Amino acid sequence: MVGDSLNKTGANLLIKALQKNNINRMYGIVGIPVTDLARLAELRGMKYYGFRREDSAVNAAAATGYLTQKPGVALTVSAPGFLNGLTALAQATKNCFPLIMISGSSERHIIDLSQGDYEGLDQYNAAKPFCKKAYRVDRAEDMGLAVARAIRTAVSGRPGGVYLDIPADTIVQEDDAADQSNLGVYKLVDPAPKQVPNNEAISRAVDLIKNAKKPLIILGKGAAYDRTEKQVQQLVAETNIPFLPMSMAKGLIPDDSPHSAAAARSLSLRNADVVIVIGASLNWMLSYGDAPQFNPQAKFVQLDIDATQFDSSQPISAPLQGDLKSILDKLVPALLATGYQAPEEWLEQIAQDTEKNDKKFAQRIANGKVAQKFGYYGAIAPIAEYFQQHPDTYLVSEGANTLDIGRDMIGMQLPRHRLDTGTWGVMGVGLGYAIAAAVETGKHVVALDGDSAFGFDGMEIETICRYKLPITVVIINNGGIYNGIGQVVPDQIGPTTLDPTARYDLMAKAFGGDNYFVSNYDEMKNIFARAVDSGRPNIINVQIAPSMGKESGHIGNLNPKLNLQPLEENERSHHND
């Protein structure tokens, strides 16, 4: 009888509904009121991964969704734990990563009368602005339906985050109407139906592209999520249209492809007359498609599953709505049937600019290996060399200069092998994403962090060590946010200043992992491959000069500048007196 009673509880029905839909992992932090829910999940055969902060657990679930096309599942406690996870839920929605965040919560009658419950908060309504949809399950008998709706909402259309609110009473509540043969859980049929574009839209796009003198393809992470590599590789190979990958689309076509215009990015955007946007948005990362970064006369072809994305920043001359694979399955053969080839003059223009910029970049890297002041280029060069030789290694990166320079230096050969701060550019995703990549793929993972970025989720090194995951955390330490030379008031530490001598690597040692400290190129070259190949949790603390790094990295234009120079000079003069 005890077993029968347990089987009918909301907790058991939740777990069964997830498992019925082939969701067998859960990331989270337990406490009131979800502790036994996590225990039951393990007893029923789910793999539960316990974290140190909720946002990291939710980030791990979000990365799982991106890597598997199934919603990752995160579990949090009520109120403060829910709020800690909310940023990651919002980010997953912005990034279009399918995710279900499940939180225990208070009973409605206590919340609605503001009676002051333990960790009381109207979580259901608080979550709504930050996710695709929020659902609250007040009856155990509705659990199967709630999970089904959450899964379909997360993966259909433009993927994103879903919040599932589970009051404490629902966890232990029994569905008295259920019997052992019908617990009200079921497997969804076609949770993300294909959406095929109409022929008229395809013809309009083909007519525009085939007349292009300077065509350009922009690949976004949506194209990587939708597994379009076969179609886009054929499109590029058979038309010679050059492409630019956004950071998480790197590897969709190998970065060393001769068709890549990444090294001629500015020239390509400024001159392209037809821009084909596949799985990307014309948002801040693409300057909204505006001049002078883009040709003001450019025509846009945009492929997206959500029609509200069209005309968001620029007029879209040929909108193509549908899932990306279905669009490309029609667009590619239709364009190839015209015999279209990108004009040689355009390709030669890009090739010349690429060669010029590649030479400059190669010299910068060569100088970085021998420079007296050890900096980013010397630190990251061994990582880039390793990834060239071991392409089936996963990279997660965050920071300012670390992220920007690493993105330019480290080539990706395979799709979905690079994860980073994404659409919002939020710090603190690194170790959660890295844990998910290691768990979901079983491959070696490199988490490349700036010292500031590592501070957001650094305690997850204990999680990495506890589960003995094959993750190498590389911390580029210049002692500051952007750099470590920001002190202007003598008796105060500057707002951007951290500790350039910090031994972050000792955190790995404290929790049973391996630790390495390097301060020049040769040390990094000797240690990096050995650390990754060990398959053990480890931190490599890379100490570079505090003067290395510019404010806000490549996006300093987004950080408003005040004329502080007179005050700074006055402060220095006063101090010298």
Side-chain angles (χ1 to χ4, degrees), residues 343-405:
E344 284 295 332
E345 183 181 353
W346 172 234
L347 300 180
E348 181 60 25
Q349 189 179 358
I350 292 174
Q352 289 178 4
D353 199 54
T354 295
E355 182 180 9
K356 178 190 68 176
N357 292 335
D358 279 348
K359 284 182 179 178
K360 291 180 181 178
F361 199 63
Q363 188 60 55
R364 201 175 298 166
I365 295 171
N367 292 343
K369 293 179 180 181
V370 297
Q372 186 175 2
K373 277 189 176 182
F374 186 43
Y376 289 98
Y377 291 95
I380 296 174
I383 304 176
E385 293 161 7
Y386 184 90
F387 271 82
Q388 186 65 34
Q389 298 168 2
H390 303 84
D392 199 13
T393 306
Y394 283 77
L395 175 68
V396 178
S397 187
E398 61 180 339
N401 296 279
T402 300
L403 173 70
D404 292 337
I405 296 172

Side-chain angles (χ1 to χ4, degrees), residues 1-22:
M1 288 298 293
V2 174
D4 290 347
S5 177
L6 181 63
N7 287 344
K8 296 180 180 181
T9 60
N12 191 67
L13 295 174
L14 171 61
I15 293 161
K16 289 298 182 184
L18 293 171
Q19 291 177 316
K20 191 77 171 178
N21 287 278
N22 299 317

Side-chain angles (χ1 to χ4, degrees), residues 212-228:
K213 300 294 188 290
K214 296 181 177 182
L216 180 68
I217 294 170
I218 296 177
L219 297 172
K221 65 179 175 295
Y225 172 81
D226 219 22
R227 275 63 175 168
T228 65

Side-chain angles (χ1 to χ4, degrees), residues 4-48:
D4 290 347
S5 177
L6 181 63
N7 287 344
K8 296 180 180 181
T9 60
N12 191 67
L13 295 174
L14 171 61
I15 293 161
K16 289 298 182 184
L18 293 171
Q19 291 177 316
K20 191 77 171 178
N21 287 278
N22 299 317
I23 297 174
N24 296 299
R25 292 189 179 98
M26 184 182 291
Y27 303 90
I29 295 182
V30 298
I32 297 171
V34 297
T35 310
D36 271 3
L37 172 57
R39 291 187 177 120
L40 181 60
E42 288 193 332
L43 289 168
R44 293 302 194 205
M46 291 191 78
K47 296 291 186 182
Y48 175 83

Side-chain angles (χ1 to χ4, degrees), residues 3 33 57 64 134 137 165 208 211 232 257 288 296 304 333 389 399 415 421 446 467 473 485 489-490 494 544 557 566:
T64 293
V137 191
D165 191 84
L208 186 60
N211 290 304
V232 296
S257 165
Y288 310 101
D304 204 289
Q389 298 168 2
T421 56
V446 175
Y467 289 102
V473 181
I485 56 171
V489 179
I544 66 172
N557 62 299

Side-chain angles (χ1 to χ4, degrees), residues 121-135:
L121 178 70
D122 187 355
Q123 297 168 202
Y124 167 66
N125 283 307
K128 287 180 179 179
F130 303 105
C131 57
K132 282 187 74 176
K133 193 74 176 178
Y135 302 104

